[in-house]
Coordinates of all heavy atoms in Angstrom, one line a residue:
R141 N -35.3 5.7 -27.8 CA -35.9 4.8 -28.8 C -35.5 3.3 -28.4 O -36.3 2.4 -28.5 CB -35.4 5.1 -30.2 CG -36.2 6.2 -30.9 CD -35.9 6.2 -32.4 NE -34.5 6.2 -32.7 CZ -33.8 7.2 -33.0 NH1 -34.3 8.4 -32.9 NH2 -32.5 7.1 -33.3
Q142 N -34.2 3.1 -28.1 CA -33.8 1.8 -27.8 C -34.4 1.3 -26.5 O -34.8 0.1 -26.5 CB -32.2 1.8 -27.6 CG -31.6 0.5 -27.4 CD -31.8 -0.5 -28.6 OE1 -32.0 0.0 -29.7 NE2 -31.8 -1.7 -28.3
L143 N -34.6 2.1 -25.5 CA -35.3 1.6 -24.3 C -36.8 1.3 -24.6 O -37.3 0.3 -24.1 CB -35.2 2.7 -23.2 CG -33.9 2.9 -22.5 CD1 -33.9 4.1 -21.6 CD2 -33.5 1.7 -21.7
A144 N -37.4 2.1 -25.4 CA -38.8 1.8 -25.7 C -39.0 0.5 -26.5 O -39.9 -0.3 -26.2 CB -39.4 3.0 -26.6
S145 N -38.1 0.3 -27.5 CA -38.2 -1.0 -28.2 C -37.8 -2.2 -27.3 O -38.4 -3.3 -27.5 CB -37.3 -1.0 -29.5 OG -35.9 -0.8 -29.2
G146 N -36.8 -2.0 -26.4 CA -36.5 -3.1 -25.5 C -37.6 -3.4 -24.6 O -37.9 -4.6 -24.3
H147 N -38.4 -2.4 -24.1 CA -39.6 -2.6 -23.3 C -40.6 -3.4 -24.1 O -41.2 -4.3 -23.5 CB -40.1 -1.3 -22.8 CG -41.4 -1.4 -22.1 ND1 -41.5 -1.9 -20.8 CD2 -42.7 -1.1 -22.5 CE1 -42.7 -1.9 -20.4 NE2 -43.5 -1.5 -21.4
A148 N -40.8 -3.1 -25.4 CA -41.8 -3.8 -26.2 C -41.4 -5.2 -26.4 O -42.3 -6.1 -26.3 CB -42.0 -3.1 -27.5
I149 N -40.1 -5.5 -26.6 CA -39.7 -6.9 -26.9 C -39.8 -7.7 -25.6 O -40.2 -8.8 -25.6 CB -38.3 -6.9 -27.5 CG1 -38.1 -8.3 -28.2 CG2 -37.2 -6.7 -26.5 CD1 -38.7 -8.4 -29.5
R150 N -39.5 -7.1 -24.4 CA -39.6 -7.8 -23.2 C -41.0 -8.1 -22.8 O -41.3 -9.2 -22.3 CB -38.9 -7.0 -22.0 CG -37.4 -7.1 -22.1 CD -36.8 -6.4 -20.9 NE -35.4 -6.1 -21.2 CZ -34.9 -5.1 -21.8 NH1 -35.8 -4.2 -22.3 NH2 -33.7 -4.9 -22.0
R151 N -41.9 -7.2 -23.1 CA -43.3 -7.4 -22.9 C -43.9 -8.6 -23.7 O -44.7 -9.3 -23.2 CB -44.1 -6.1 -23.2 CG -45.6 -6.1 -23.0 CD -46.2 -4.8 -23.3 NE -45.7 -4.1 -24.5 CZ -46.2 -4.3 -25.7 NH1 -47.2 -5.1 -25.9 NH2 -45.7 -3.7 -26.8
K152 N -43.3 -8.8 -24.9 CA -43.8 -9.8 -25.7 C -43.1 -11.2 -25.4 O -43.7 -12.2 -25.6 CB -43.5 -9.5 -27.2 CG -44.2 -8.3 -27.7 CD -45.7 -8.6 -27.9 CE -46.4 -7.4 -28.5 NZ -47.7 -7.7 -28.8
T153 N -41.9 -11.1 -25.0 CA -41.1 -12.4 -24.9 C -40.9 -12.9 -23.4 O -40.5 -14.0 -23.3 CB -39.7 -12.2 -25.5 OG1 -39.0 -11.2 -24.9 CG2 -39.9 -11.9 -27.0
T154 N -41.1 -12.0 -22.4 CA -40.9 -12.4 -21.1 C -42.2 -12.9 -20.5 O -43.2 -12.2 -20.5 CB -40.3 -11.3 -20.2 OG1 -39.2 -10.8 -20.9 CG2 -40.0 -11.7 -18.8
P155 N -42.3 -14.1 -19.9 CA -43.5 -14.6 -19.3 C -43.9 -13.7 -18.1 O -43.0 -13.4 -17.3 CB -43.2 -16.0 -19.0 CG -41.8 -16.2 -19.0 CD -41.2 -15.1 -19.8
A156 N -45.1 -13.4 -18.0 CA -45.6 -12.6 -16.9 C -46.0 -13.6 -15.7 O -46.4 -14.7 -15.9 CB -46.8 -11.8 -17.3
D157 N -45.8 -13.1 -14.6 CA -46.2 -13.8 -13.4 C -47.6 -13.5 -13.0 O -47.9 -12.4 -12.5 CB -45.2 -13.5 -12.2 CG -45.5 -14.3 -11.0 OD1 -46.2 -15.3 -11.1 OD2 -45.0 -14.0 -9.9
H158 N -48.5 -14.4 -13.4 CA -50.0 -14.1 -13.2 C -50.4 -14.9 -11.9 O -50.5 -16.1 -12.0 CB -50.8 -14.5 -14.4 CG -50.5 -13.8 -15.6 ND1 -50.8 -12.4 -15.8 CD2 -49.8 -14.1 -16.7 CE1 -50.4 -12.0 -16.9 NE2 -49.8 -13.0 -17.5
G159 N -50.6 -14.2 -10.9 CA -51.2 -14.9 -9.7 C -50.1 -15.4 -8.7 O -48.9 -15.3 -9.0
P160 N -50.5 -16.0 -7.6 CA -49.6 -16.4 -6.6 C -48.8 -17.7 -7.1 O -49.4 -18.5 -7.9 CB -50.4 -16.7 -5.4 CG -51.8 -17.0 -6.0 CD -51.9 -16.1 -7.2
R161 N -47.6 -17.8 -6.6 CA -46.9 -19.0 -7.0 C -47.4 -20.2 -6.1 O -47.8 -20.0 -5.0 CB -45.4 -18.8 -6.7 CG -44.8 -17.8 -7.6 CD -43.3 -17.6 -7.3 NE -42.8 -16.6 -8.2 CZ -41.6 -16.3 -8.3 NH1 -40.7 -16.9 -7.5 NH2 -41.2 -15.4 -9.1

Side-chain angles (χ1 to χ4, degrees):
R141 279 195 310 264
Q142 186 62 26
L143 286 172
S145 63
H147 175 73
I149 200 78
R150 282 183 200 85
R151 182 176 40 90
K152 297 285 181 175
T153 60
T154 305
D157 185 13
H158 299 290
R161 293 183 181 185

